[in-house]
Amino acid sequence: MTDLEKRSDRSPVPADWTYAPAPESTDIVHLQERYGLYVGGEWLETKEHFTTISPRDESPLAEVAQASEADVQNAVAAAREAFGSWSKLPGSERAKYLFRIARILAERSREFAVLESLNGGKPIKESRDVDLPLAAAHFFYYAGWADKLEYAFPNRSPKPLGVAGQIIPWNFPLLMLAWKIAPALAAGNTVVLKPAETTPLTALLFCDVVRQAELPPGVVNIVTGDGSAGAALVESEVDKIAFTGSTEVGKAIQRRLAGTGTKLTLELGGKAANIVFDDCALDQAVEGIVNGIYFNQGHVCCAGSRLFVQESIYEPVVEKLKKRMTTLRVGDPLDKNTDVGAINSRMQLEKIEELVAAGKEEGAEIYQPPCRLPEKGYWFAPTVFTNVAQSYRIAQEEIFGPVLSVLTFRTPDEAVEKANNTPYGLSAGVWTEKGSRILWMAQRLRAGVVWANTFNRFDPTSPFGGYKESGFGREGGLHGMEPYLDFE
Ligand code: NDP
């Protein structure tokens, strides 16, 4: 018997790797019973309210204001009034406020992370390690540009547009707020932002950060409500609309604003191809596939929802993937061990269920690892479909859930052709050890972002946005600043 065998004989080796619960305390979050609209630096009451819940157990969290058309117009007027003095501040002064916001977000990050997971359902380790650091980083990054616009856009006399109307979705509530508000303010605009109906709470907590940073009243205004509040913002006298959400609503907004002179950027859906070549580091690729589709329950516009595997390695990839899926822990978003949290809303759960049923009906083979889903709340097990044809709905439509479709290819040309066979064009992933192949693929993939040997990586310095039905305009980097500026 070797030394090692002797030792392992004596040591108590766990029979299986189950985890003890590790719930994050919610004590740090202090919710109000009822929230108004944050307009002109004040909380305004509205006639109507709705209840926002936690998708992990459907428990009510707070009453939130439903903004009417008049409320939205009032917020735009407040932003317009604040624009005069805000836009005239020297860039270095605007930067101070943005740095302050970034610092406060970092200081209060635990509070924000817990609230984000409570209201949206995402695992606390993601809101803590991804959403919050990135949100603060966006404010830090754009603060740095505020006094350097003349250098960033030389000989173009950059000027702010005025009031920006911003409409955001529920998958990254605080992060999308940061993507939108930070560049707008750095460029000298004022904003009216509408968070998604199901996840308004971190945007409302952000108003407290705005107050703490002593931002002048009216520079940031938050109006909550359902789609009608978003539509009212599109109808109002704003100078720009920045929208992130579904392609359907994006198209409606584009139709509405055509010919009006209101500037528009659209960040819409996606059906990303994650392409795995037979020369890749296989275990690393499997981690990337898992991260690509199960991160944030697959509620990610750039999720790697179509996996293309080179035929020669199809079996080992699928086998490794299924094995890895059995180790994913699905459950309470506030448990620090959770990998896959709650589905954001009943409506989204029904959409996922409908598309998964369509996949089965069309002839794809489904695999879900054994996992016990909580009784209350909205849940969907990590799912992979094999035997998928390109024409199936699960290979064409955005599912926006933890559902992966696996397809195969033989040659790089075939991979490109199949990857581009979608109305979307937001992101793609390429896994190979050959640098030349990465560049060859990146040139041909019609996707705004192409990740190589990684997936779902974000950085405030890097522009993000789509082709085709994934929208137009970029967020992040200097490209993300440009849509908030006018040039002579
Ligand atoms: P929506 O596009 O409806 O929502 C995005 C935002 O727009 C929300 O704040 C929403 O408000 C608002 N909104 C809704 N209708 C209008 C309108 N007519 N005019 C202006 N604003 C409006 O997405 P859903 O939440 O309904 O999700 C549906 C599907 O869209 C998902 O299943 C997913 O496939 C896709 N999606 C894609 C996202 C992405 O990042 N690309 C993000 C979210 C969804 P409210 O929440 O109050 O309805």
Side-chain angles (χ1 to χ4, degrees):
M1 211 184 230
T2 65
D3 271 3
L4 200 65
E5 278 168 335
K6 270 188 227 153
R7 247 185 292 150
S8 70
D9 224 22
R10 282 198 306 270
S11 54
V13 180
D16 70 314
W17 291 94
T18 48
Y19 286 71
E24 178 85 32
S25 165
T26 57
D27 291 352
I28 196 165
V29 170
H30 302 287
L31 287 173
Q32 295 172 33
E33 240 168 69
R34 179 179 271 212
Y35 289 86
L37 306 173
Y38 190 71
V39 173
E42 286 178 23
W43 290 102
L44 302 186
E45 266 303 320
T46 54
K47 288 202 194 94
E48 285 180 44
H49 289 80
F50 61 94
T51 307
T52 185
I53 63 160
S54 180
R56 68 172 180 154
D57 55 6
E58 297 165 69
S59 59
L61 294 175
E63 294 286 299
V64 176
Q66 166 66 48
S68 67
E69 226 176 283
D71 293 326
V72 171
Q73 281 168 11
N74 186 27
V76 172
R80 181 74 59 202
E81 198 183 323
F83 176 71
S85 46
W86 177 252
S87 58
K88 286 190 193 70
L89 277 185
S92 56
E93 285 301 308
R94 288 202 305 274
K96 280 188 202 167
Y97 289 105
L98 291 173
F99 278 125
R100 239 184 251 169
I101 291 174
R103 262 201 323 271
I104 297 168
L105 275 181
E107 276 163 19
R108 297 179 66 174
S109 66
R110 191 162 156 255
E111 183 186 358
F112 270 97
V114 171
L115 185 57
E116 197 74 308
S117 288
L118 254 183
N119 199 196
K122 63 173 67 196
I124 184 72
K125 69 175 178 194
E126 289 178 8
S127 37
R128 182 194 62 200
D129 298 345
V130 181
D131 295 61
L132 260 297
L134 271 176
H138 272 80
F139 280 98
F140 272 121
Y141 173 73
Y142 281 110
W145 279 123
D147 61 345
K148 302 174 192 71
L149 297 180
E150 295 286 344
Y151 303 95
F153 305 99
N155 306 318
R156 294 178 68 193
S157 309
K159 297 215 171 27
L161 298 172
V163 178
Q166 308 180 316
I167 302 167
I168 57 171
W170 41 261
N171 51 346
F172 294 92
L174 186 75
L175 185 57
M176 288 302 106
L177 173 150
W179 278 27
K180 300 250 178 312
I181 292 185
L185 261 47
N189 303 279
T190 55
V191 305
V192 177
L193 177 132
K194 192 203 89 68
E197 188 181 352
T198 57
T199 54
L201 292 181
T202 45
L204 291 168
L205 185 60
F206 181 77
C207 301
D208 199 42
V209 173
V210 164
R211 180 199 54 78
Q212 225 181 320
E214 295 176 3
L215 201 70
V219 173
V220 168
N221 305 276
I222 306 286
V223 291
T224 48
D226 61 12
S228 69
L233 191 53
V234 173
E235 293 291 332
S236 70
E237 299 277 309
V238 289
D239 302 288
K240 176 192 162 66
I241 288 287
F243 172 81
T244 300
S246 62
T247 297
E248 190 192 344
V249 174
K251 281 182 180 173
I253 293 176
Q254 189 177 14
R255 274 195 297 271
R256 174 64 192 86
L257 294 184
T260 62
T262 305
K263 289 203 176 354
L264 176 65
T265 42
L266 295 175
E267 197 80 72
L268 309 176
K271 192 74 188 172
N274 206 358
I275 305 164
V276 179
F277 284 96
D278 61 6
D279 63 348
C280 74
L282 217 59
D283 290 327
Q284 193 184 327
V286 170
E287 282 309 303
I289 296 164
V290 167
N291 171 39
I293 187 64
Y294 302 121
F295 170 63
N296 200 25
Q297 298 74 247
H299 299 332
V300 183
C301 45
C302 51
S305 51
R306 289 181 303 151
L307 175 66
F308 289 98
V309 185
Q310 199 156 18
E311 255 181 34
S312 48
I313 52 162
Y314 175 76
E315 272 90 18
V317 167
V318 171
E319 193 186 317
K320 276 175 188 280
L321 175 63
K322 286 182 177 172
K323 202 166 159 204
R324 176 68 177 87
M325 284 168 72
T326 62
T327 66
L328 289 175
R329 292 170 298 258
V330 186
D332 185 4
L334 285 167
D335 191 306
K336 283 167 244 176
N337 291 323
T338 293
D339 297 307
V340 180
I343 298 302
N344 183 264
S345 65
R346 183 180 296 282
M347 218 171 90
Q348 188 57 31
L349 179 59
E350 284 167 4
K351 181 182 166 183
I352 297 168
E353 286 170 344
E354 196 254 315
L355 277 159
V356 166
K360 285 196 242 175
E361 208 161 289
E362 283 181 304
E365 214 169 282
I366 190 172
Y367 172 78
Q368 291 175 322
C371 57
R372 210 172 334 128
L373 301 179
E375 272 160 27
K376 275 187 164 176
Y378 313 132
W379 307 95
F380 202 84
T383 301
V384 62
F385 274 113
T386 49
N387 199 21
V388 180
Q390 285 191 81
S391 57
Y392 290 0
R393 285 181 68 198
I394 50 169
Q396 287 291 328
E397 294 179 32
E398 186 178 46
I399 302 176
F400 226 62
V403 182
L404 178 67
S405 299
V406 187
L407 299 103
T408 59
F409 68 94
R410 287 184 187 167
T411 62
D413 278 317
E414 190 187 342
V416 168
E417 204 161 302
K418 286 183 167 173
N420 288 341
N421 181 19
T422 161
Y424 297 111
L426 195 54
S427 66
V430 179
W431 297 84
T432 170
E433 64 155 24
K434 291 187 187 63
S436 56
R437 180 174 284 166
I438 290 169
L439 297 176
W440 190 91
M441 293 290 293
Q443 276 173 348
R444 287 159 181 80
L445 290 168
R446 300 290 292 159
V449 178
V450 179
W451 284 293
N453 294 326
T454 186
F455 209 91
N456 274 340
R457 286 274 178 160
F458 301 97
D459 190 286
T461 63
S462 174
F464 180 90
Y467 283 90
K468 303 193 281 188
E469 293 202 7
S470 292
F472 50 79
R474 295 291 178 264
E475 290 183 303
L478 266 188
H479 297 71
M481 193 95 179
E482 213 168 334
Y484 287 102
L485 289 165
D486 233 345
F487 301 97
E488 270 168 14

